[in-house]
Structure formats: structure tokens, C-alpha cells
Amino acid sequence: MPGRRPRPHRDDVRIALAGLLGGLLLWGAGLDTRPATEDLVLWAGRWPVLLPLTVTAGCELLRRTHPRTGLLIGGAALTLDTVTQGSLVTVVMFTDLVYAAVLYGPPATARRVLWISGLLTVLGTIVPVALWRKPEALLIGVVIGVVAFTPGATGWVVRNHRDAAEAARLRAEQTALLAEIDRVQAVTAERARMARELHDMVANHLSAIAIHSTAALSLDDPDTSQQALGVIRENSVEGLAEMRRLIGILRDSSGDTEPAAAPTLDGLGTLVDHARANGLDVQLDRTHTALPAPVELAAYRIVQESLTNALKHASPGRVTVSLVQRDHALDVCVRSPFGGVRDDGPRAPGSGAGLIGMRERVALLHGTFEAGPEGGPTGGAADSETGGTWAVRATFPITEGETA
């Protein structure tokens, strides 16, 4: 329940009972630390010894829950014990209270107890020797050091080791958490990459299949239907081949098949020929030399997806593909006729992931990407009456000295 005071630890209860029973055993055997005739004994007799013994044993119950309170009360009990015939168990339990105050108390209390006990040890050594001029006076400092400073120093060492172990455990947990975050991010990035590759490899062929199948169904012309079916079969075979290649990469852990699935700009001619076979009037103009492999793959996928979108959405007219290499950058631009929103909708359905995938590819290579009507805002719509040109522009930075 809220506000409930903490109960003593089970080990503290055992320590308190063991100390009390041990003290009673020594008391019953008459083993006191000082004789009744000693000058410092102000409260003679055997019964007064039990009071500081009992109080100190009770303070042991507070060694974890309230270490400062236990040390203060225990110090008063030890002071009372010095004016009686004394019990060795009371002194031993007080040393444990000093140790517990340093180990379980707040950091400020631990430092304060250590400094005070050290100061008392020094004073207990210097002052008696200066006053009495006898070597035996050094024993007072030794006794104070054994009773107060030694258990405090031991508690400080144990506390440092415990804090170091806790810090190491926290670092290990943080490292494991960061590793898990990295793993999740890597899995997410790999899933996004696979989605882009799958979309770019298959969308072009499936769009052509959808368009030509629509034409074959809508036209009652055997020759046109035969030609459309031929195009459908060709795109189906090529789409299945690329799908098998991608699945083979995913199943093969050696990575030997990965280069075969990474097209380069040398394949743009074949890509343009397929687009022309699907009914697009495409003009290719490129001026570039050897490029880094990631740039070539990204540029190829940009052109491929742009031609796919032109096949589905563009108005009749010429589609121009331009690749120009500047000092340290490659500019890719694909322009297609754009007449606004089609009344009958796109010639093939789309998921809208094409522009997202292209933008992600360019962002991974720290490039810039724009898509939209020329002269209008990115992603805007052109005037459906006047028409216009839809342009996809991507710029890839090229590191100096990097080759394909």
C-alpha cells in the first residue's frame, strides 16, 4: 500500500537476533570487556551492559531500510557502552552499522561517514600522544580505526564494486537494446528494398499485360488480338523470369546470384525496346561514362518505373529519356505527354508506390528527386484542357574517383 514503511530485511533480522543472543551468551558467561574497577566505568554492574547491547541489536534491523538512523542510535549506544563494563558484541555490531551506512546509505552519507571516521581516527591517534606522551596512547587511534574507519572503508570498496557492476549491467542492457533496434531497422530497410525491387521488376510487365489484355478484349479484330496476346505472353515470360531471379536471390545465402539481378545502364536499350513494343514512342538520349554500381541500378530503376507510369498514364505522344553526366553528378530526366486526369482512368491500375519507391531510391544515394508537370509544383496536376508534359527528374551525386 502507498505510504507503507519498508519492513526490515530477513538477513537484518537474523543479524540482530544473532548479535543479541551472542551478547547474552557472553553476558551470561561474565565475559565483559572492562572490569568494574576501571576508571572509565561510571555505570558498574553487569545489568547495565544489556541496555546498549539491546539498543544496538535493534539498530541492526535498520541497517538497510534506515542506515543513517541506525548508525546515529548505534553511536549513542556505543557511547553508553563505554561507561559500562562493556560488551564485545556491542562493538562488533556497531562496526556493522558503520559498514551498512556506507554501503546502503545515500552517496552523500557514505562519503560523510568515511571522512568523519577517518578524521576521528587521525585525531584519536594524534591528540592522546600529544597529551600523554606515551606510546600506549597510539592504541586509542588504532581502536577507533578498527571500529569506525576500517568498516567504513570496506563498505566504500564494496559499494564501488557494486556500482561498477550495476553500471556494467546497464551498459549491457543498453547495448542489447541498441542491437535490437539496429536489427529491427535493418529488417525494415531490407523489406523496403525488397518491395522496391519487386515493384520495379514486375510492375512494367504486369502493366503491359493489363493494357494489352484490355485491348484484346475490347477490339473484335483477330489480328489485333493475336498481336496483343503475343505481347502478353512475352511480358509474362519475362516477368516470371525476373520473379524467379529475385526469389533465387532470397533463397541463396551465398549471394552468388546477386550481380545477375542488378541491371546496369547498358540495359537501357533493351528496356526502351520493350517500351516501344508495348506501344510507347520512346526517344533515348544518354551521355555518361562508367558510374558507380548503386547509381547505375538506381538510375535504371528510375527510367524503368517512369516508362511504366508513362505506359499507364501518359497521353499519346513521344516520351523522352535523357541521362546527362556532369562533373560529379548524373542527371536523369524522363518526359511524357500529360493531359491532366483521364476521363476513363489509367489504362492499368496502380498502387501509387512508384513515386514513393523512386523517391526512396534517390534519397538513399543523397540525391534530389522531382516529379510533376513541368513548370508546376512537384506532384501537382496539369491543366486538363491545355495538356502539358509530365517530368521525372533525379540527380545522383557521384563520388570523385569511384568507378562502377
Side-chain angles (χ1 to χ4, degrees):
M1 296 179 59
R4 185 177 179 180
R5 292 185 177 183
R7 300 178 60 182
H9 195 273
R10 291 178 300 176
D11 293 339
D12 297 341
V13 175
R14 296 189 184 102
I15 292 174
L17 291 176
L20 182 60
L21 293 177
L24 292 176
L25 181 62
L26 294 181
W27 178 80
L31 299 177
D32 302 324
T33 56
R34 289 176 295 276
T37 58
E38 188 174 327
D39 296 338
L40 293 178
V41 177
L42 302 179
W43 197 0
R46 300 188 59 222
W47 289 99
V49 177
L50 297 181
L51 180 58
L53 173 65
T54 305
V55 173
T56 307
C59 292
E60 289 284 16
L61 299 175
L62 307 176
R63 63 192 302 273
R64 295 175 193 261
T65 57
H66 300 86
R68 291 181 295 183
T69 303
L71 179 61
L72 292 175
I73 299 175
L78 180 66
T79 304
L80 180 62
D81 182 76
T82 58
V83 300
T84 65
Q85 291 183 231
S87 173
L88 180 61
V89 177
T90 301
V91 178
V92 172
M93 287 193 294
F94 177 77
T95 61
D96 181 67
L97 293 176
V98 176
Y99 170 82
V102 176
L103 180 60
Y104 300 114
T109 299
R111 290 190 295 267
R112 191 176 296 116
V113 170
L114 193 61
W115 278 104
I116 292 176
S117 61
L119 181 60
L120 291 176
T121 302
V122 173
L123 293 178
T125 303
I126 297 176
V127 174
V129 172
L131 292 177
W132 297 334
R133 304 291 182 176
K134 293 181 179 180
E136 292 82 359
L138 293 173
L139 295 176
I140 298 177
V142 173
V143 172
I144 296 176
V146 172
V147 173
F149 182 74
T150 301
T154 304
W156 184 261
V157 172
V158 175
R159 184 189 184 101
N160 286 339
H161 282 289
R162 186 187 64 177
D163 293 344
E166 181 67 15
R169 184 186 66 82
L170 292 177
R171 284 196 298 268
E173 291 180 354
Q174 292 176 355
T175 302
L177 180 61
L178 292 176
E180 178 64 17
I181 293 175
D182 291 341
R183 186 192 67 82
V184 172
Q185 291 178 346
V187 171
T188 303
E190 183 64 17
R191 291 179 61 181
R193 186 188 70 84
M194 292 169 56
R196 287 194 300 268
E197 290 295 325
L198 183 62
H199 178 275
D200 293 341
M201 291 171 60
V202 180
N204 182 272
H205 298 293
L206 293 182
S207 298
I209 291 173
I211 292 172
H212 285 279
S213 61
T214 301
L217 292 173
S218 60
L219 298 177
D220 189 13
D221 186 354
D223 294 336
T224 304
S225 299
Q226 187 71 18
Q227 183 180 3
L229 291 176
V231 175
I232 291 174
R233 182 185 183 282
E234 181 182 357
N235 282 276
S236 300
V237 172
E238 292 180 357
L240 287 174
E242 292 187 359
M243 181 73 74
R244 291 193 191 100
R245 189 182 304 119
L246 179 60
I247 294 175
I249 294 173
L250 297 178
R251 288 180 175 177
D252 187 5
S253 60
S254 63
D256 295 338
T257 59
E258 184 174 357
T264 64
L265 294 181
D266 293 337
L268 283 182
T270 303
L271 184 64
V272 169
D273 292 340
H274 282 294
R276 290 169 179 164
N278 291 328
L280 286 179
D281 181 11
V282 184
Q283 177 182 350
L284 176 62
D285 182 15
R286 55 178 179 172
T287 304
H288 62 84
T289 58
L291 297 169
V295 175
E296 287 207 29
L297 175 60
Y300 180 93
R301 294 303 189 193
I302 294 293
V303 175
Q304 183 183 42
E305 180 60 26
S306 299
L307 293 178
T308 301
N309 290 339
L311 182 64
K312 293 189 292 184
H313 304 286
S315 301
R318 172 162 293 185
V319 179
T320 61
V321 179
S322 173
L323 288 86
V324 179
Q325 181 178 354
R326 295 184 284 110
D327 292 338
H328 301 297
L330 175 67
D331 294 329
V332 180
C333 182
V334 180
R335 293 182 176 89
S336 58
F338 179 67
V341 180
R342 295 172 56 91
D343 295 335
D344 56 349
R347 283 177 285 182
S351 63
L355 290 178
I356 297 176
M358 288 191 288
R359 194 179 303 277
E360 289 177 350
R361 285 186 181 276
V362 177
L364 288 175
L365 297 178
H366 307 287
T368 59
F369 177 80
E370 293 180 356
E374 282 196 326
T378 300
D383 188 351
S384 59
E385 297 180 356
T386 60
T389 301
W390 182 274
V392 176
R393 298 184 182 88
T395 300
F396 298 96
I398 303 173
T399 304
E400 185 177 359
E402 189 176 6
T403 57

